[in-house]
Amino acid sequence: MEVTLTENEYKAAKFYGEKYYLYIVKRVFEAGCSEIEIIQDPANKLPFEIEWRPYYVWRYGNYI
């Protein structure tokens, strides 16, 4: 799974640091099975890659 941030979202996450939260909703289309993962300060804690400007991609499997 990949999480993609726009350039503005990534810059906001860098600027706000610990005040910025990324909410990931998993299994959205499965009835009654969705869950939310909340990550504080994702721009400084997660390994984002610049794949195609202006997008920043976090490869979900590389976290934890």
Side-chain angles (χ1 to χ4, degrees):
M1 179 170 91
E2 292 182 356
V3 175
T4 304
L5 299 180
T6 65
E7 186 173 12
N8 286 341
E9 290 169 329
Y10 184 78
K11 285 180 178 179
K14 282 295 239 186
F15 179 80
Y16 289 108
E18 294 288 326
K19 297 176 187 175
Y20 191 94
Y21 291 84
L22 176 64
Y23 291 79
I24 301 170
V25 182
K26 302 180 197 173
R27 296 188 297 269
V28 174
F29 300 109
E30 296 178 28
C33 294
S34 63
E35 62 181 85
I36 298 174
E37 182 172 349
I38 303 169
I39 302 171
Q40 184 180 17
D41 192 13
N44 294 309
K45 292 183 180 175
L46 302 177
F48 281 91
E49 300 173 11
I50 301 173
E51 276 201 354
W52 171 49
R53 292 186 186 262
Y55 297 103
Y56 295 79
V57 178
W58 167 47
R59 303 235 183 272
Y60 192 73
N62 296 338
Y63 177 66
I64 299 177

